[in-house]
Amino acid sequence: MSSSDVYCGEALCPVEATLDVLEGKWTILIVRDLLAGTKRFAELRRSLTGISPKTLTDRLRALETRGFVTRETFAEVPPRVEYTLTDSGRTLEPVIAALAVWGRDFGVLAGVVDPDHSETPAATASG
């Protein structure tokens, strides 16, 4: 990767476009969790400690609007809703994996991650 791939003077550079899609930590973590497979709202909420139901709903809707997530509603009592990454959503897997590798490596250097911890969240998510 050259520096021109990262630093650009275009109206919307590739890094800015990526950040526009990922919109902060909750969206990234939702994608990370959905890389492991289809999840229900409650499963996502349990795995994302500290997220409010409104924020989770907003982030899922944004991902659905952009075509990264599908939402399937089942006519059951109580209603069941499942979220799944689309093929477009799965294209974010290398981005999440790169963040996991960087986080692990940086965490080891900073002394906040156990250097013997060999499994990254992205590796866990992809099975």
Side-chain angles (χ1 to χ4, degrees):
M1 176 185 304
S2 71
S3 62
S4 64
D5 292 332
V6 177
Y7 305 105
C8 59
E10 301 170 21
L12 184 64
C13 78
V15 173
E16 187 176 348
T18 302
L19 292 174
D20 186 50
V21 169
L22 294 178
E23 303 183 64
K25 83 171 189 177
W26 291 122
T27 302
I28 293 167
L29 295 175
I30 290 166
V31 170
R32 177 204 63 190
D33 284 3
L34 289 175
L35 283 168
T38 300
K39 303 271 189 242
R40 294 174 71 174
F41 186 89
E43 291 175 297
L44 288 167
R45 183 139 185 255
R46 273 192 302 274
S47 71
L48 301 169
T49 304
I51 194 169
S52 71
K54 181 185 181 327
T55 299
L56 180 54
T57 298
D58 291 347
R59 297 297 90 231
L60 286 166
R61 282 187 183 147
L63 286 166
E64 185 180 9
T65 298
R66 290 178 181 271
F68 291 107
V69 168
T70 58
R71 177 183 192 268
E72 186 172 4
T73 305
F74 297 87
E76 300 175 353
V77 177
R80 178 171 50 115
V81 178
E82 293 182 343
Y83 298 90
T84 306
L85 285 178
T86 63
D87 289 341
S88 293
R90 290 210 159 273
T91 66
L92 292 167
E93 186 167 8
V95 176
I96 303 302
L99 287 169
V101 168
W102 185 88
R104 183 195 63 226
D105 294 347
F106 176 80
V108 168
L109 288 174
V112 295
V113 172
D114 180 358
D116 295 327
H117 182 72
S118 61
E119 194 170 80
T120 64
T124 301
S126 62

